[in-house]
Amino acid sequence: MIQAASTALLVGGIASQAALAGPTLDAIAKRGAIKVGVGTSPGFFAPDSSGKWQGFFVDFGRALAVTVFNDPSKVDFTSSSPQQRLPALQAGEFDILLSGVTQTINRSFKLGFHFGPVIFYDGQGLLVRKSVGVSKGAELDGATVGVQSGTTGELNIADFFRKNKKTFKPVVIEDSKEFRAALESGRVDALTQDASDLALSRVQLAKPDDYILLPERLSKEPLAPAVRAGDDRWLEIVNWTIYATIQAEEFGITQANVDEFLKSDDPSIKRFLGVDKSLGEAIGLDPKFAYNIVKAVGNYGEIFERNIGETTKVGFERGFNELWTKGGLLYSPPFR
């Protein structure tokens, strides 16, 4: 009963903001679910043995469903290849891409997409067979390098070899399995892709210890949610849903202790969790939307550690994806 009442409040909240909403948010409210385009990398986005989607980016999709419907299940995930995902978003097949898309100026101005806050700071790397005998990318002069089509990687790798006055032979491959197989079979000397993807690819090879991810990064790859232009309110919901997870971690609010924080005397925490309803009422969202997100999926740090952190098979360190107060790049604007 409590959940039903809250859902009614949120859907009503969207309806009351009709003058501010655009076609995407209108369609979401009418459909009753958010359509999210994702990839297929375990840890980031992949269905489990029961067919339920799990992963780092998937949890942010569920957080969005909490903000809009106060129900993390009201979201549909569909895998899409790097070549298909942006055209599919443009065609309206998705309301948002949470598939590890790099934010670029070209995609903003030329293709007409808007981006939410960076969720994962990545960089393009090189995965090579140890038998090749190199310790850095510049030593791959004349090498054959596999690169996936439809990504920013094609331009980055060409720029890298040009800058270092070296040559290489690109082998453009679309399918992820074929991509890894090309390295194992010796068709290519190296693979280049976002370092996070290469780390995942390495553990999926038959003999992971025969390969090494070179330490250098060829590019900045800020991975952010992408939406179509033309719906400012939908974009702001995306923005502040992600900021809520970051701000919660900065406050020290977790899935386990969020109810204790409801008793806090700190006015900023009272506004953030909706104990003080004035903020939520002023912006037209459920005053408890941040509380509901943390309760359902946890804060940013919990989402990271649960899916791709050092204790998982993926095993990433936080690095740049740490809070700004701990030397990272994650920062939330104030909730006031």
Side-chain angles (χ1 to χ4, degrees):
M1 291 297 291
I2 293 174
Q3 182 170 324
S6 298
T7 302
L9 173 63
L10 281 167
V11 174
I14 292 173
S16 69
Q17 297 291 324
L20 297 173
T24 302
L25 194 54
D26 286 343
I28 291 170
K30 185 177 180 180
R31 188 189 311 123
I34 303 169
K35 295 192 299 186
V36 179
V38 293
T40 53
S41 298
F44 286 101
F45 19 55
D48 62 19
S49 58
S50 66
K52 184 178 180 181
W53 282 89
Q54 305 286 356
F56 176 75
F57 284 99
V58 168
D59 278 348
F60 286 99
R62 295 208 168 94
L64 273 171
V66 171
T67 301
V68 176
F69 297 110
N70 195 19
D71 186 342
S73 71
K74 292 197 172 186
V75 55
D76 297 324
F77 298 101
T78 303
S79 64
S80 184
S81 72
Q83 300 76 29
Q84 298 167 337
R85 59 192 180 184
L86 289 172
L89 176 64
Q90 194 64 274
E93 295 179 27
F94 306 124
D95 301 312
I96 184 170
L97 283 180
L98 285 167
S99 57
V101 179
T102 300
Q103 180 178 6
T104 69
I105 191 170
N106 200 39
R107 286 170 173 168
S108 295
F109 280 90
K110 194 173 179 180
L111 302 181
F113 296 115
H114 286 173
F115 291 87
V118 174
I119 295 179
F120 189 86
Y121 289 92
D122 209 345
Q124 187 169 335
L126 285 161
L127 181 66
V128 302
R129 281 181 281 110
K130 289 181 178 177
S131 60
V132 174
V134 301
S135 59
K136 55 184 180 181
E139 295 173 353
L140 286 168
D141 191 18
T144 302
V145 180
V147 57
Q148 282 202 293
S149 59
T151 69
T152 53
E154 293 179 75
L155 177 63
N156 292 335
I157 191 66
D159 285 352
F160 172 79
F161 278 96
R162 191 177 299 118
K163 183 175 68 177
N164 285 282
K165 302 185 187 310
K166 307 291 184 183
T167 62
F168 79 110
K169 180 182 178 183
V171 177
V172 180
I173 302 170
E174 180 171 343
D175 181 77
S176 296
K177 291 182 179 178
E178 184 184 348
F179 192 60
R180 290 191 296 272
L183 184 63
E184 286 188 303
S185 68
R187 180 184 173 196
V188 300
D189 300 309
L191 298 178
T192 188
Q193 200 177 27
D194 288 354
S196 58
D197 290 322
L198 291 177
L200 290 170
S201 293
R202 179 180 170 274
V203 299
Q204 295 176 59
L205 295 170
K207 296 180 178 179
D209 291 341
D210 288 353
Y211 304 88
I212 184 171
L213 180 60
L214 299 181
E216 62 204 312
R217 296 294 174 264
L218 281 56
S219 67
K220 293 187 292 184
E221 302 294 336
L223 308 184
V227 299
R228 288 182 300 279
D231 195 332
D232 292 347
R233 186 155 180 81
W234 172 232
L235 176 62
E236 291 302 334
I237 287 174
V238 172
N239 289 340
W240 289 95
T241 294
I242 294 166
Y243 289 142
T245 68
I246 298 171
Q247 184 61 66
E249 184 179 9
E250 190 172 337
F251 278 140
I253 301 173
T254 68
Q255 210 168 7
N257 68 18
V258 64
D259 287 317
E260 287 298 313
F261 272 87
L262 293 175
K263 304 170 188 173
S264 171
D265 293 326
D266 185 331
S268 59
I269 292 178
K270 294 175 74 171
R271 281 193 301 273
F272 179 69
L273 294 179
V275 177
D276 175 352
K277 298 181 179 179
S278 59
L279 176 63
E281 290 173 349
I283 61 177
L285 293 178
D286 184 337
K288 296 186 68 176
F289 85 96
Y291 166 87
N292 294 330
I293 289 170
V294 178
K295 191 73 175 176
V297 301
N299 66 36
Y300 180 95
E302 291 177 293
I303 295 171
F304 187 100
E305 296 299 340
R306 179 170 64 236
N307 293 293
I308 56 176
E310 292 185 85
T311 61
T312 68
K313 290 183 179 178
V314 180
F316 283 125
E317 298 179 354
R318 289 287 293 270
F320 290 138
N321 298 293
E322 182 59 271
L323 294 176
W324 67 286
T325 53
K326 297 180 179 178
L329 296 176
L330 294 184
Y331 185 98
S332 168
F335 278 67
R336 65 170 183 262

